[in-house]
Amino acid sequence: MEFDRVVESYIPVEERIKNYQEFTQPLPESALKDQGARCMNCGIPFCHSGCPLGNLIPDFNDAVYQGKWEKAAKILHATNNFPEFTGRLCPAPCEEACVLGINENPVSIENIEKSIAETAWAKGWIKPEPPQSRTGKTVAVVGSGPAGLAAAQQLNRAGHQVTVFERDSKAGGLLRFGIPDFKLDKSVIDRRIEVLIAEGIEFKTNVEIGVDIDALTLKSQYDAVVLCGGAAVRRGLTIPGAQLNGVIQAMDFLKGNNKSVSGELNTPPISAKGKHVIVIGGGDTGSDCIGTSIRHGALSVSNFEIMPQGTPERPAHQPWPFYPMRLKTSTSHKEGAERFFSISTKEFTGDAQGNLTGLKTVQVAWEQINGSMILKEVPGSEKIWKADLVLLAMGFTGSETKVAEQLGVTLDSRTNVQASEEDYKTNISGVFAAGDQRRGQSLIVWAISEGRQAAHYVDTYLMGSSCLPLKEAGDLPRV
Amino acid sequence: MPLVQQGLYHPEYEHDNCGAGFICSLEGKKSNDIIHKALEILEKLEHRGAVSADGKTGDGAGILIDIPHQFFADVCPFALPEPGQYAVANVFLPQKENQRSFCIEVVEKHLKGQGLHLLGWRNVPVNRSVPGRIAAETEPFIQQLFVGKADENQSISSFNLQLYIARKKAEHEIINSKLSQLGFFYIPSLSTKIIIFKGLLMPEDISLYYKDLQDSRVVTRLALVHQRFSTNTFPTWDLAQPFRYMCHNGEINTLRGNLARMRSREELMKSDLFGPDIKAILPIVLPGKSDSASMDMVVELLLMTGRSLPEVMMILVPEAWEKNDQMSSTKRAFYEFHSCMMEPWDGPASIPFTDGNYIGAVLDRNGLRPSRYSVTKDGYVIMSSETGVVDIAPENVAMHGRLEPGKMFLVNMEEGRIVNDEEIKESIAQKHPYSQWVAENLVHLRDIPYNDCPLFIGESSLEKRKSVFGYTLEDINSILGPMGKSGYEPIGSMGTDTPIAVLSDRPQLLYNYFKQLFAQVTNPPLDGIREEMITDISLTLGSDFNLFEVDPAHCRKLKIQNPVISKEDLDKIKNYGERPHFQVANLSMRYPIAQGHNGLENALAQLLEDAEKAVDNGQNIIILSDRYTNAEYAPIPALLATSYVNSGLQVRGKRSQLSLIVESAEPREVHHFALLFGYGASAINPYLVNEIIAEQIENGELTGITFEAAVENYNKAVGKGILKVMNKIGISTLNSYRGSQLFECIGLNTKTVDTYFPRTTTRIQGIGLYEIEKEIAKRHQNAFGTKEISASLDLEIGGEYRWRRDGEKHQFNPITVAKLQKAVRNNEPNTYKEYAQLINEQSKHLMTIRGLFEFSNFDPIPLEEVEPWTEIVKRFKTGAMSYGSISKEAHENLAIAMNRIGGKSNSGEGGENPERFYKTPEGDWKNSAIKQVASGRFGVTSNYLTNAAEIQIKMAQGAKPGEGGQLPGPKVDPEIAKTRNSTPYVGLISPPPHHDIYSIEDLSQLIYDLKSANREARINVKLVSEVGVGTVAAGVAKAKADVVLISGYDGGTGASPLTSLKHAGLPWELGVAEAQQTLVMNDLRNRIVLECDGQLKTGRDVAIACLLGAEEFGFATAPLVASGCIMMRVCHLNTCPVGVATQNPELRKKFKGQPEHVVNFMYFVAEELREIMAQLGFRTINEMVGQVQKLDRKKVIHHYKAAGIDLSPILHQVKVPHGTKVYNTQKQKHHIEESIEFSIIEKAHPALYRKEKMSLDFPIKNTDRAVGAIISNEISKNYGAQGLPDHTLKINFTGAAGQSFGAFATKGLTMVVNGTTNDYLGKGLSGAKLIVRIPEGSTLRPDQNVITGNVALYGATSGEAYINGKAGERFCVRNSGATAVVEGIGDHGLEYMTGGVAVILGAVGRNFGAGMSGGIAYVYDPNNTFKGLCKEPGLNLWDVDQAEDKVQLKSLIEQHYNATHSPLAQEILEAWEYELPKFIKVFPEEYRLALKRIEEETAATQV
């Protein structure tokens, strides 16, 4: 290999934590070409299978290598409506499946993707392309997260009149309110929404279906409805002291902060400034809480994860090219959080005013019994921690059921909307579901993928057949 | 009766090859002795024939002699006219009397009709106890017919003509009579000069059968004899040879095209001599006859046109004149003129011929058949496939000669002399002013000026047209771009694992339903690169002319040098109005899309009507064009239109009057062009490719090249590609390939094929015109019908060659590879099951033919009762992948794994390091149980062969059947070079053919050689599935192979042109089933093991292969994937990132495979198989073989294309007598034990076992073959590669040594022949010293006589040879280390040589040193002719002026003198200083650079 892997570097921690701006340093064009050249044009590009969107990775890598950025942008957009989002936020399962990854560092696919997208924006190649003709059919998309936006754009391309309903003040869903600006500057969402509007998609914000408009009414007004409401029900911690002031759901914390950054609010409603912060949950949301807390000026930030500490290497049972569960250190972790693994919180403690003062934990061990992993507390490992603010970032348990109930849509055991990947149809004719609301909490690439796939089937439902592209089977399974 | 078509067996694919020869009296003296000598020739050629399963029935033999007038006059109960004034025939008649009388009546009626006089019939006395069981079933009743002239004054030529017409008419009437025994009827000859005695007899039985031949009153001046080796075992009496004017050793590869063109020529035949009778003799060529018989019928016709027999032979079997600048202009003109009239009947052919006046022989342009002759002082000329077939005392020999490629020789018995090639041909060529005729009439496209190119206004956009014609991004980026840039077809690697066209979900171009046929065993593929001088791709366009007339009109043609033309070239033709002979018509290949299937059908019909009208209007160049495809009109597939017009006009009797040009957007791959030519096109303009190239240049995707150059490159690349496709089936000229239809359909139904592609084989049915239209409509819809969706790609991504998610399906894809690797590495049976399920479950996405089957007729037994996996895996093998194509680590890993479980790994063709023959201290064994012998013969030594459990002769490889290979110099690192017995950094070429296998009897010979080299090893012959592979397998069984392997077309490779990866050969399901059916039908199945490979991936695959007839199973790609291969498909680039297929030391470190992984894979597969066996009720594999009743077609498949597939031919069960074994039960009888070597060994104990020097004397005959191989095997067993000390055992032979003398002879042996030797002298020489010298008593001047045959020292690795006389063609081919001195050689000398030294003290033939990358030659060139014959650009031709060279050369000549007492050597040595400047040193540049590099590296390591 002539070149080694290079990825975007970051502005130093002490600088970047002073504000909420993105802190990645884009690679120069020459470096990107070299990175494109590392792609080996594999006989079987496993990356292409590792990517839930089925991005044509070898093809855009080659275009970048040849300096044909417009061609690259075209190839990229053929499978991905919003590469500027995934180029920033995706955990890049493609890179885990990269053939180079067997014995070298994989191709920096995600950086290349982002650069293609940003170049396309900068050069003005991304412009509204309204459909040449309209079908006269109308579609309501409920929810404006990545799944909803993707479905909306695809359906609009097919010529349908699409209306997107968003209960929040602005479109974007978790992208806008869940992801801190230092990871995704909100102008990146805005410019995309502008294009979508110019292409003819109507956005109705501050309208909550099921509350402001009855879902059945909505259904009667549109030829098809696509439910993209996400998996919004947060996992809580039902232990003593959970009601104390200072035990906060991560999403509330992050959303408030994002609104303050955007100027919608003057200050963050919940501040970590001068506080000892404990973030429970070692995932991406946990990291976002860490980075935000540090920017607030927290005294200390600790991060708890109930699972044992992974290794940087792949576990044996998740060999290449499968997506491995391994120790990942996010940029936020590097900004000054201490991490604790195999730790379970038993109780929150508070003062008489009902304010949080700390929490009690116990170390846990995982044992395999009869094929399933069982959690066991380690005797004598109890510990008491001081804490002023605990942020619960333990994921989501399922979707909100209000709309489904009004429509009579069947839910699965996890309260997600039941619809198969074969056609994204719910049990109610004309009602479709996509994204986390169907799938349960997942990655942004999956959300976009679902939105695209669902759009094809909605189009088929409306027109009898569809020209919208469909990703064919071939997703690498999870092991 | 010949067997009828059943199951997958099609009788038209039977082949035959043989031994042939003649003897005559130079002065035309008649004697009875000639017959005895002739029969002696046959007996001595018996090893070139074959015997059927009954052990008694030969494949046919016969003898042609002068009419023995006196004898007939004595024995006939009726009076005979003077000799020459009557005709006689041995007539084959039905055994049933009623049918016989009918035939006799018909014959008599037609004789009478011609006014001829029936003299009488005589019963031919035969001994009916002679023929074997099989022959007896078809034995005819034979009667002699005597016919007199119409009247005394009738001229002989008119008599002959009338005999011909009468016979033809009788033949046609009887063939059409529907008699149950009509197959018995045949008139071998009806001549005033000669008579033929032939039958399905062993050579020694001919005179026992035909009692006439035992009568001493039967005398003749000449005798032509022939002994047949047929691949099938249903040979018939009538196909025994000689035929009426000739016999033939070889195979006419171009037969189909020749026959089709002959049928067209019949349209124009007119002759005053025949008058209206001419229609009655049509068709000229009767159906169902062999290639030789067909050719004979054409020879006969051309003789009737007044041409002489030598002239006819010149027309049918022309020399390679196209690129021969040394040929006289008269002869060139003759050939050029006749090339406009008749395409070559091409293929390996040695053809002895006679018209009763002259006797002679001609050899094909490649010189692929041995043809040796001797003239004796007592006045005999003996010509035969081998020398030594008639015993001649040394002092009686006047001359030993051989027939050279393209040459002819004639015995003029009137004048008592031999007329040489030059004399015969010059005189024939001067008969007419051919030069003038050609100059005045033949127009060359290159001479027509370019004109203003019209633009096509109003064409749809380029993007839409790309889409409607199904172009993908992959097509454009991976195929068109590289071809335009480099002028070569792109290379790929690994196999193909996409579905065949009929199972694909994606709309397929019609081309993809056709597979190229290729040569294996019965005829050789060619090497159009290194033997370019015998190839030609030019074509002539225009109307044909009446064959009966010798007229300049024959060459009123337009000649195109490369018929893949640019738009500008086509414009030239369109607007060429200068000559009235060329009238161009434009016909549109489009149909109204709205009318769907009917629209297409009607448009095709209309197209044919229009073409016919055009012909009637006198237009003779028809351009079929799909320009202006648009929203209303969709393109008719160009192949469909071309073939339909081609065959339709043939039926209407108008085909010969026009040529077809295809102007189409559709063709882009070489395969497409090959098909269009193969179905009748004469020129093709791929205009959309032109436009795409223009676009690519405009977009900067294709840089550094002009548009014109890129188009030229592309056209050139296609031209070369077509040459390769033709060469695969052994055809040298596009003129012969055109219209030859050398393809098999897979997935088209019979109705469609019969209508649009008549006479093409299609065996499992499939789609018809309706579905073809559906596929067009789908593409049309994509292009014109759909809404524009923004952000979509304009074209589909492709995914044929590299997996893409939305592209074509592949069996190996990210998920299956990932699961397989996880399963074998972590030993996870469940993960293997998931993998196997993904491969096996093809109900949704059809991938393979086997996917269409399901198991049925369950009869479950407990799993424990099934033989254990440890037994089953003994039948498992890994594929032939050479060390060189894959890394040492990967190669040894497979060997260790297979040895651990008792299976077999395969060395591939790269040789093997002898260290691996011994077990490691840890107990592992890296020895490959199977050692491969491929065309390059790399590393094939006595010791290598001795260490094999099985020796595999690779006749073809699934990924690129009919092609050779190449390991470029930079990849040949010192270790690989050592293993391959070659020089580091010198490139290695594997020729397309084995140069010792040009036909089935040659294969039989190589099997004998290898069996001699290792009696313990099984001999395995690897074939690739194609139609007719069953008959080839039967031939292989008769050639005594122990195992026959049928490979699927989809197997892997280190490098192959993309066309070959996909389009040549068939899936193994068809091949294995056909082989099983044919072998069982012939009762040969029990003699041979049937093996299968080709993308076997799971236990279910194995189960199906087994049920179809296989009993051993090969895996290659799957165990590689188990070892870490991730299908990068860059094996050819040396950049394999996982260390599997690379020699780069850094990359090799990345190899992570373990033997356990491969063992786990084999274990999982065997266990899966066992479960299936238990379900079906089989306890052992043997019980399971061929039990097709356990297979059924899957019922649940709903697929618009697959629905029409009919699998019943695959599942056909041959009806055979109860108890016939359908798996291998007995061993082949090789008769090795009869070799004279055992008596030598008996006497040579002191030398062999005590290393004592000794010398022995033995007589030798041409039937003593491969002498030296057995002794060498004994030496290798005891002493390994080192052998014995030099000269330990010397053996002096006297006589004519048989083929392969000194084959694989190893160190310590010195073998001398005082006499002559045949082909393959010193094949695979492994260190021995061979001396061939003229015997005592001979008065011959050695350097003017031929003393050894063709292909001497093929693949020799070390040793010496001193040859006191001239050698034949391809001397020292692929020599990599032996030293040889010879006194003259034929064409293609030192071809592909990579090492060693050759001293040639005499003339060399053409094409010297082609592909020679290493070694040195010193050529004695007193007449300064050498430089004209050696034009290889990579060769340095130097004076011998370096001191060390002088020393080397002189010492070699001295040694030659010492060994042979060569007078020439003596003369040279005596005048050394004077003679030395006449030597030229031939020093390949690549070799020079390699030696320099080695020297530098050695110096560096010493520092």
Side-chain angles (χ1 to χ4, degrees), chain A residues 41 48 51 59 472 475, chain B residues 794 802-805 809:
Chain A
N41 189 20
H48 183 38
C51 173
D59 303 274
E472 291 194 25
D475 288 309
Chain B
D794 299 320
R802 290 171 182 273
W803 180 84
R804 284 292 184 279
R805 198 171 191 161
K809 301 273 177 300

Side-chain angles (χ1 to χ4, degrees), chain B residues 56-276:
Chain B
K56 190 92 171 69
T57 298
D59 285 349
I63 178 167
L64 175 154
I65 56 173
D66 286 327
I67 292 175
H69 172 73
Q70 199 51 53
F71 168 75
F72 284 148
D74 290 353
V75 297
C76 282
F78 41 82
L80 290 178
E82 287 303 296
Q85 302 302 307
Y86 65 96
V88 64
N90 283 326
V91 183
F92 292 180
L93 294 162
Q95 284 290 358
K96 288 192 78 170
E97 198 179 338
N98 50 341
Q99 300 199 22
R100 185 156 75 233
S101 336
F102 171 80
C103 293
I104 289 175
E105 277 166 33
V106 171
V107 170
E108 292 183 357
K109 177 177 82 186
H110 289 291
L111 288 171
K112 213 171 178 183
Q114 293 301 312
L116 297 173
H117 186 55
L118 175 75
L119 297 170
W121 293 86
R122 170 180 173 254
N123 280 354
V124 177
V126 296
N127 181 350
R128 295 200 60 186
S129 68
V130 168
R133 175 178 57 81
I134 296 171
E137 286 167 15
T138 57
E139 182 192 355
F141 189 95
I142 305 173
Q143 280 192 297
Q144 265 160 8
L145 166 67
F146 292 81
V147 185
K149 298 207 285 194
D151 59 68
E152 268 182 31
N153 301 326
Q154 187 179 25
S155 71
I156 288 295
S157 59
S158 143
F159 184 33
N160 276 329
L161 196 67
Q162 244 114 43
L163 284 169
Y164 175 67
I165 296 169
R167 200 195 79 224
K168 277 277 173 195
K169 284 184 161 179
E171 283 170 358
H172 286 149
E173 180 166 346
I174 292 170
I175 282 175
N176 294 324
S177 70
K178 298 192 177 160
L179 279 188
S180 67
Q181 289 197 339
L182 68 87
F184 285 72
F185 174 79
Y186 178 69
I187 306 180
S189 66
L190 179 55
S191 161
T192 58
K193 300 268 185 191
I194 55 96
I195 184 164
I196 297 168
F197 295 86
K198 66 179 181 184
L200 218 43
L201 301 163
M202 307 277 281
E204 66 266 29
D205 291 341
I206 290 181
S207 59
L208 295 178
Y209 182 74
Y210 286 106
K211 292 180 183 164
D212 282 0
L213 292 172
Q214 297 163 20
D215 195 301
S216 60
R217 286 170 293 175
V218 177
V219 292
T220 183
R221 297 168 302 155
L222 58 86
L224 202 61
V225 288
H226 187 274
Q227 138 96 340
R228 187 164 183 240
F229 188 140
S230 172
T231 48
N232 59 313
T233 44
F234 324 113
T236 54
W237 284 65
D238 58 322
L239 294 181
Q241 301 196 31
F243 293 108
R244 294 160 188 127
Y245 293 93
M246 52 172 264
C247 57
H248 169 216
N249 171 12
E251 166 116 4
I252 303 297
N253 298 330
T254 54
L255 187 70
R256 284 176 176 223
N258 296 129
L259 295 182
R261 306 270 284 276
M262 273 313 294
R263 278 192 294 275
S264 297
R265 289 189 188 101
E266 289 171 0
E267 301 156 10
L268 300 168
M269 282 182 195
K270 268 197 291 252
S271 167
D272 294 342
L273 296 173
F274 285 80

